[in-house]
Amino acid sequence: MLKDITLGQYFPVKSFMHALDPRMKLLLTLLYVVALFLVSDFWGFLVAAFLIGLVASFSKISLKVVFRGLKPLVFIIMFTAFFNVLYGGGEPLFPQIEWLSWIKTDGVKNAAFMIIRIILLILGTSYLTYTTSPVMLTDALERLMRPLKIFRFPVHELAMMMTIALRFIPTLIDETDKIINAQKARGADFETGNIIRRAKALIPILIPLLVSAFHRAEELADAMECRCYHGGAGRTRYKIYSLGWRDWVALGAMVLSFAAIIMLRIY
Amino acid sequence: MSTIIEVSNLSFSYPTEEGKAAHRVLHDIDLKIEEGEFVAILGHNGCGKSTLAKHFNGILKADRGSVHVLGMDAGDEENLLEIRRNVGMVFQNPDNQIIATVVDEDVAFALENLGIPHDEMARRVDEALELVGLSEYRQRAPHMLSGGQKQRVAIAGILAMRPKCIILDEPTAMLDPKGRKEVMKTILRLNREEHITVVLITHYMDEAVQADRVIVMAEGEMILDDTPREVFQNVGLLHSLSLDVPQTAELMFALRQEDIKVPISVLNVDECVAEIEKLLGGGEND
Ligand SMILES: Nc1ncnc2c1ncn2[C@@H]1O[C@H](COP(=O)(O)OP(=O)(O)OP(=O)(O)O)[C@@H](O)[C@H]1O
Ligand SMILES: [Mg+2]
């Protein structure tokens, strides 16, 4: 049952977007997010939407799938949009109708922009995780953040922690399922009762899980030491990334769109 | 032939909470493991096998006495990296020793830590996967493999360092019979063909009889240290330590207790069959 939860989903298919260097993808996503916040009119959003359309068609993952991922967020988006309208200024949108006078033009415009912006933001970042495996993502993060080492920022340690966390997610999910089944077999009841009862029922799951996680961590530490792990100093990497023609094409498209958005903002 | 591991007068206890008396886990162990040997270590649960093994590559440090690996003092922090690249260790649970999410990246982990250049690394990863027979699985996710395959990935991760010696701490304890067979075949091949020194901690007697030398431990001490043929003659002693003996030795022991004269030093099924045939054949002549 827990397997249905997919964290930062990744769809392993072969496509132009999948073949991009993860460092480049990360950089492009960053540029895209910045661009979204620079957009101040409808035309700018059109450019961003066009970009997303391009990404969708070059990734073999249809927009439909990605939109489905938006569903759980609809409520939050609507909620923030409502408050945008409530506190927006400008002229009333429907001057003839008395009880709708709180809906003002600027408020509606702000709300609409905000909705579009959030949706485009989620779509863009979703395509990053959909087309890049979590390990590649942490790898890229480590490599891009390398300059921060000068400021004593623990780049390697952070990346190693993320790698190990990702590696153990399936293992711990399996284990949780096993514990749940074992407790059910002993008559534990997770499905009835009020919230407090149900929360209490979780304790016999969490405690064995925690104990086992600590045990695993101890063994893992020994195994890593046996394989000569001694921190990030002097490490070489097995996987090497190199930028290919695809990366430059993608960067070109991104830079053009970015320039267009800035032009639209100025004029 | 050179000595790989030399343990002299080793004692060890785990640090305890304050006020409690320390419980001594290892007592005055003296042991030498020579290059190319295949040594099995037996002993009941909690007798200190894993604790001893963790001294062989400096995961634990001796309280008293010393451990030397290839002549280097394992108590000296400076030597640890060199010791660990030469004496690798595989643990019981493969899930807790695989670090990466792709097989070949996991095999490369030790090489990354050692700072091996990329081309050399790729060569060694190929070589190690070849040795454990998992070349076709290099792009797979480890958690999708069978237990036996996972354990072979873990072995490959050690082999990539090209160690002189591999220590395996109950590597087959969590595997099904098929996985056990796979792993044992791999271990035997590494010892016989690649001449890698093997130290195998196990609870399975059929695994121990394949070694050149069997060490039996009890309560942190070494009780027996001899060839499997000699060690498994001590059926009574092994039983009193709540250890099994190979089924053939068990049968011979039972026959002797019935005053039937069979030699006690019989290790494999063929020898056993031959002895019993001799016995029955002898009966017909009467
Ligand atoms: N990390 C630890 N801290 C404290 N005591 C420990 C620790 N690990 C093991 N012990 C204790 O040391 C003793 C020897 O343990 P060890 O794991 O070496 O036994 P073992 O022979 O490997 O047993 P098994 O066959 O169960 O693997 C046991 O009494 C155990 O409780
Ligand atoms: Mg043990």
Side-chain angles (χ1 to χ4, degrees):
Chain A
M1 62 190 250
L2 277 167
K3 283 196 176 129
D4 305 335
I5 303 169
T6 35
L7 205 94
Q9 271 193 37
Y10 167 59
F11 293 97
V13 284
K14 279 203 161 69
S15 80
F16 180 91
M17 288 307 294
H18 285 77
L20 285 183
D21 187 315
R23 293 170 301 175
M24 184 56 93
K25 269 190 272 192
L26 209 61
L27 207 71
L28 294 179
T29 312
L30 211 67
L31 275 175
Y32 171 79
V33 171
V34 172
L36 269 186
F37 281 97
L38 288 175
V39 170
S40 56
D41 64 347
F42 173 75
W43 295 105
F45 282 130
L46 206 65
V47 174
F50 175 71
L51 261 184
I52 288 290
L54 270 183
V55 168
S57 55
F58 279 102
S59 69
K60 292 193 190 156
I61 299 168
S62 83
L63 272 170
K64 234 193 287 173
V65 176
V66 189
F67 267 111
R68 220 179 293 145
L70 277 176
K71 246 191 225 157
L73 298 168
V74 166
F75 178 74
I76 295 177
I77 295 175
M78 285 318 195
F79 192 72
T80 27
F82 174 74
F83 277 94
N84 261 299
V85 174
L86 202 60
Y87 292 108
E91 299 297 310
L93 194 61
F94 309 101
Q96 299 91 336
I97 309 169
E98 183 72 26
W99 62 274
L100 281 179
S101 64
W102 56 277
I103 302 178
K104 308 233 175 71
T105 44
D106 283 1
V108 171
K109 194 179 142 205
N110 284 346
F113 273 24
M114 202 224 46
I115 291 176
I116 299 175
R117 189 172 279 138
I118 292 183
I119 291 178
L120 284 172
L121 197 71
I122 295 171
L123 290 184
T125 46
S126 297
Y127 270 111
L128 175 68
T129 57
Y130 287 163
T131 62
T132 321
S133 78
V135 173
M136 278 181 139
L137 216 53
T138 40
D139 235 19
L141 213 59
E142 176 176 5
R143 283 167 216 235
L144 283 178
M145 295 201 313
R146 207 171 277 168
L148 291 181
K149 271 190 186 157
I150 300 172
F151 308 111
R152 303 265 174 119
F153 188 80
V155 177
H156 166 75
E157 286 74 7
L158 215 64
M160 183 54 84
M161 270 164 57
M162 278 165 72
T163 311
I164 289 173
L166 289 167
R167 149 71 186 76
F168 275 90
I169 284 173
T171 311
L172 290 178
I173 286 179
D174 265 359
E175 182 139 344
T176 313
D177 272 340
K178 264 188 217 149
I179 296 173
I180 289 177
N181 286 335
Q183 302 289 23
K184 270 189 187 163
R186 296 190 181 116
D189 175 13
F190 303 111
E191 269 110 33
T192 60
N194 58 25
I195 290 190
I196 294 172
R197 247 192 76 116
R198 286 192 200 193
K200 269 190 186 159
L202 287 180
I203 293 174
I205 296 174
L206 291 179
I207 289 176
L209 193 66
L210 219 66
V211 170
S212 130
F214 274 114
H215 178 72
R216 282 178 193 281
E218 236 170 73
E219 273 194 32
L220 182 73
D222 279 348
M224 285 171 76
E225 274 195 58
C226 284
R227 293 215 257 161
C228 300
Y229 182 70
H230 56 284
R235 265 190 121 221
T236 46
R237 298 310 304 269
Y238 175 62
K239 232 184 166 148
I240 38 178
Y241 295 110
S242 54
L243 298 173
W245 63 271
R246 289 187 184 86
D247 300 292
W248 300 116
V249 170
L251 182 65
M254 185 68 222
V255 167
L256 278 179
S257 321
F258 200 89
I261 284 169
I262 289 180
M263 298 285 258
L264 284 167
R265 192 183 162 87
I266 296 173
Y267 301 110
Chain B
M1 215 158 65
S2 61
T3 304
I4 300 274
I5 296 166
E6 182 167 8
V7 177
S8 48
N9 218 3
L10 166 69
S11 294
F12 180 82
S13 33
Y14 283 100
T16 47
E17 290 151 53
E18 277 195 47
K20 278 189 192 162
H23 169 68
R24 185 86 76 78
V25 177
L26 296 176
H27 302 271
D28 300 323
I29 303 252
D30 278 294
L31 174 67
K32 248 188 193 180
I33 290 171
E34 305 289 338
E35 190 165 2
E37 270 191 308
F38 180 174
V39 182
I41 301 182
L42 302 176
H44 60 83
N45 290 103
C47 71
K49 303 180 297 292
S50 302
T51 308
L52 177 62
K54 283 181 186 165
H55 282 86
F56 293 163
N57 65 348
I59 298 293
L60 292 177
K61 274 199 184 55
D63 288 345
R64 264 200 297 141
S66 68
V67 178
H68 283 82
V69 178
L70 296 163
M72 291 175 284
D73 182 0
D76 186 351
E77 204 71 40
E78 299 272 296
N79 295 331
L80 282 186
L81 227 48
E82 195 55 28
I83 286 179
R84 285 177 190 162
R85 93 195 279 157
N86 279 298
V87 178
M89 193 150 162
V90 175
F91 296 89
Q92 182 176 27
N93 188 343
D95 278 332
N96 297 351
Q97 47 189 327
I98 290 174
I99 288 118
T101 34
V102 186
V103 167
D104 62 348
E105 283 178 37
D106 186 71
V107 174
F109 181 71
L111 303 177
E112 293 183 320
N113 295 333
L114 289 167
I116 307 285
H118 181 267
D119 291 348
E120 168 78 6
M121 208 181 317
R123 223 172 307 133
R124 288 212 206 172
V125 169
D126 287 344
E127 177 192 282
L129 283 171
E130 181 80 41
L131 275 175
V132 299
L134 285 178
S135 296
E136 314 90 276
Y137 293 85
R138 55 180 313 144
Q139 287 300 321
R140 297 285 193 85
H143 69 98
M144 308 293 268
L145 301 180
S146 75
Q149 288 169 335
K150 276 192 234 180
Q151 201 56 294
R152 276 147 70 206
V153 171
I155 294 175
I158 295 299
L159 285 178
M161 297 192 287
R162 296 197 180 139
K164 287 208 159 58
C165 173
I166 298 187
I167 298 155
L168 303 109
D169 191 349
E170 300 185 40
T172 59
M174 303 187 73
L175 307 182
D176 56 11
K178 182 165 168 285
R180 274 183 60 199
K181 221 178 258 165
E182 282 170 26
V183 169
M184 267 319 283
K185 217 175 97 192
T186 308
I187 295 172
L188 275 171
R189 207 173 100 201
L190 293 178
N191 180 251
R192 306 274 144 85
E193 288 168 30
E194 306 297 320
H195 308 292
I196 296 173
T197 311
V198 170
V199 177
L200 175 68
I201 298 174
T202 184
H203 281 294
Y204 293 109
M205 298 305 139
D206 54 331
E207 292 175 9
V209 294
Q210 310 195 46
D212 308 322
R213 177 176 163 196
V214 174
I215 292 173
V216 178
M217 287 181 68
E219 314 303 344
E221 288 180 55
M222 280 171 50
I223 307 276
L224 296 170
D225 177 2
D226 214 325
T227 60
R229 200 174 288 279
E230 296 298 321
V231 165
F232 289 121
Q233 290 184 21
N234 302 291
V235 179
L237 174 64
L238 292 173
H239 277 171
S240 74
L241 296 172
S242 57
L243 287 174
D244 284 333
V245 293
Q247 284 177 345
T248 50
E250 191 89 56
L251 176 62
M252 293 296 127
F253 183 68
L255 288 174
R256 280 168 75 96
Q257 284 196 327
E258 299 294 325
D259 275 338
I260 300 171
K261 294 216 165 23
V262 286
I264 189 93
S265 64
V266 169
L267 270 190
N268 57 44
V269 177
D270 289 340
E271 285 177 34
C272 192
V273 169
E275 285 302 332
I276 291 173
E277 269 178 354
K278 224 186 333 181
L279 202 69
L280 293 177
E284 271 170 17
N285 286 346
D286 268 341

